Amino acid sequence: MRTQYDDIGQSYERLKHQMPLARGPERATFEALTAQVAGRSVLDLACGTGWYSRILARAGAASVLGVDISEEMVAAAGRAEAREPLGVRYRACDARLLGVAGRFDLVTAVWLLCYARDPLDLSAMASAAYDNLAPGGMYVGVEMNPRFDWAGPKATKYGLTHRPDADFPGGKELTVTAHVDPPITFQACFWEEEPIVAALRGAGFRSVELVPATVPADPADTFWDDFRTNPTIVGIRAVK
């Protein structure tokens, strides 16, 4: 079954290079959450073209398995591995259907939960993370901030526009546009805090924490003021 990302394919990686939100707080937040990755085994869910899988490998992870629902994305990740061998393995699979791929020290995900269409999807994604962790292992993710104020400053100046299309219990359906050249548009969901925490707790995680985003800039730099006022993204940390 084709997904919206099969049509985007390798061009999705342009977001990581061109979009201020991705180059700045997204990457900085992820790297802060995974600062202790050296020597650890990692499962990277929603790996896309392997951008963060490669960052984990370069940071000294003992092993990295990247999993993504899009076969086109995984193929692009494989080509990147062929160009720069880092020992990262990739697998095309829906995270909700992954089962147990191993017992990892760390499970990571950047933009996974926002593709859950309902609470059952959220629960399945949370369970995939939990079931693949060794005892005491940790899940860390970067997602849209569930405390985002829709009446406050938006993220358009940082390269991303979220247009709410419809409300549902616990969240909103969104059309998301990444303002790169050319623009990329896709569908996603905004989830409030309670459903996210409930899904992770329900999967078995003994602690769940929302971690404020890291802004990699001088506080005197006013460019990030709107983001500091109304952060678009948040880190998530959950311990098995």
Side-chain angles (χ1 to χ4, degrees):
M1 180 180 69
R2 287 189 67 81
T3 73
Q4 59 182 330
Y5 285 108
D6 287 319
D7 296 323
I8 296 171
Q10 192 168 7
S11 64
Y12 185 73
E13 195 150 312
R14 286 188 283 110
L15 274 67
K16 307 304 183 188
H17 294 285
Q18 297 180 20
M19 194 170 68
L21 180 67
R23 295 198 317 266
E26 180 188 295
R27 178 166 180 169
T29 302
F30 180 82
E31 290 182 334
L33 288 168
T34 59
Q36 306 302 317
V37 72
R40 298 187 176 185
S41 59
V42 187
L43 171 63
D44 186 25
L45 297 174
C47 71
T49 56
W51 179 262
Y52 286 109
S53 303
R54 297 193 296 277
I55 286 175
L56 291 164
R58 294 188 192 109
S63 65
V64 181
L65 171 62
V67 173
D68 197 272
I69 192 173
S70 166
E71 292 185 2
E72 291 292 335
M73 292 281 198
V74 169
R79 292 191 291 270
E81 172 67 18
R83 290 192 300 271
E84 181 190 0
L86 294 168
V88 181
R89 297 175 294 124
Y90 294 102
R91 177 177 169 186
C93 184
D94 185 333
R96 297 168 298 179
L97 306 175
L98 179 61
V100 177
R103 285 287 183 263
F104 298 86
D105 301 314
L106 186 66
V107 174
T108 63
V110 177
W111 308 122
L112 169 67
L113 304 182
C114 60
Y115 298 112
R117 306 298 299 182
D118 55 41
L120 289 177
D121 280 351
L122 269 183
S123 294
M125 292 173 178
S127 292
Y130 183 88
D131 293 345
N132 279 282
L133 280 170
M138 184 182 300
Y139 167 76
V140 296
V142 178
E143 297 288 346
M144 189 169 182
N145 182 10
R147 300 169 182 168
F148 183 75
D149 180 1
W150 289 93
K154 303 300 190 290
T156 300
K157 70 181 289 185
Y158 307 120
L160 207 63
T161 297
H162 304 85
R163 187 189 75 210
D165 295 327
D167 292 344
F168 59 81
K172 301 177 184 293
E173 295 178 2
L174 305 175
T175 295
V176 182
T177 300
H179 300 288
V180 294
D181 185 20
I184 298 172
T185 298
F186 49 94
Q187 308 304 125
C189 287
F190 166 82
W191 285 95
E192 296 170 0
E193 183 174 354
E194 191 279 330
I196 291 174
V197 173
L200 291 166
R201 287 281 194 180
F205 285 99
R206 56 187 171 89
S207 69
V208 179
E209 177 186 7
L210 298 187
V211 181
T214 300
V215 182
D218 185 330
D221 181 359
T222 60
F223 176 73
W224 293 105
D225 282 357
D226 285 351
F227 182 89
R228 293 187 183 99
T229 299
N230 192 26
T232 313
I233 62 173
V234 72
I236 297 175
R237 182 187 293 124
V239 179
K240 182 170 181 176

